[in-house]
Amino acid sequence: MLTPDNCVLILIDHQPFQFAGLRSHDTQTIINNVVGLAKSAKAFKVPTLLTTVVEDKGGLLLKPLQDVFPEQKPIDRTFINTWEDERVVAWVKKTGRTKIVMAALWTEICLAFPVIHALGDGYEVYFVTDASGGVSLEAHEMAVQRMIQAGGVPLTWTVFASELQRDWARTATVPALGQMLVEHMGNVGTSLLWEQQLLNTPRAGQS
């Protein structure tokens, strides 16, 4: 399974041009999920790489995503397939980790190509379906099938965070995980705040 010590995260091309063509998911949902994914990686100290494609034409990386790692300048590529950029491959090799988690716009191209390529190079590759999206629902779904057939493992962003947490007794990361749930998990976060409210309410007769 994924642990904070055995994986890396690569976030690919969450830029205005790609969002303009997104049709498989609601745009705001993908923004919410990829930012939550990035915060999860940061909370568990998972090495994370940001990358864009032809930034001067496709636009800067999504600002809420960049704000999670304000000190990091994304690798700007001309390659459509991120895994063909030697800087990206070198970064992964330098970490010494063999499990790669990826999310990208669009699923059928900017995610599928590097996932399949990295699998061919012997890495264990996971892809986050709800932090990625395609130009149509069919394009997204066919890409997911293609990556699974190649050996990729699909997961969603909250699975990634939960798999890294694994045990609520690991209290060091619980506050950050709880905050992510509040900020990015909708009714789950609302229920968590409600539960905290109830637990903090004094019993009758107490002040």
Side-chain angles (χ1 to χ4, degrees), residues 194-207:
W194 181 32
E195 188 168 321
Q196 289 175 338
Q197 174 194 336
L198 296 176
L199 291 172
N200 289 330
T201 302
R203 289 178 295 176
Q206 288 185 328
S207 59

Side-chain angles (χ1 to χ4, degrees), residues 12-140:
I12 303 168
D13 303 351
H14 291 87
Q15 301 167 254
F17 179 83
Q18 275 73 13
F19 274 108
L22 178 65
R23 294 295 182 273
S24 62
H25 297 71
D26 172 71
T27 299
Q28 188 57 48
T29 298
I30 297 298
I31 293 173
N32 176 78
N33 293 352
V34 74
V35 173
L37 176 64
K39 289 180 179 179
S40 300
K42 186 170 186 177
F44 290 96
K45 297 181 173 58
V46 173
T48 301
L49 183 68
L50 307 175
T51 182
T52 55
V53 61
V54 197
E55 181 187 86
D56 61 337
K57 296 180 175 62
L60 298 173
L61 188 73
L62 179 70
K63 186 179 185 301
L65 180 55
Q66 180 69 74
D67 287 346
V68 180
F69 299 99
E71 74 290 344
Q72 183 180 156
K73 171 63 179 170
I75 290 178
D76 191 41
R77 319 173 325 275
T78 58
F79 289 104
I80 294 174
N81 176 4
T82 301
W83 201 251
E84 290 188 35
D85 192 303
E86 294 180 356
R87 295 169 295 174
V88 174
V89 178
W91 178 86
V92 174
K93 288 181 178 178
K94 187 176 180 180
T95 69
R97 303 183 181 201
T98 59
K99 297 177 186 286
I100 307 173
V101 182
M102 298 187 193
L105 297 179
W106 300 311
T107 317
E108 63 274 22
I109 299 171
C110 300
L111 182 61
F113 293 1
V115 165
I116 294 168
H117 197 159
L119 285 165
D121 284 349
Y123 287 90
E124 186 176 329
V125 187
Y126 300 72
F127 56 95
V128 187
T129 58
D130 63 349
S132 307
V135 298
S136 68
L137 182 58
E138 181 177 4
H140 175 79

Side-chain angles (χ1 to χ4, degrees), residues 169-192:
R170 297 174 180 170
T171 55
T173 49
V174 168
L177 182 59
Q179 188 61 34
M180 284 184 294
L181 294 178
V182 170
E183 293 175 355
H184 297 282
M185 268 295 282
N187 61 335
V188 174
T190 300
S191 297
L192 177 61

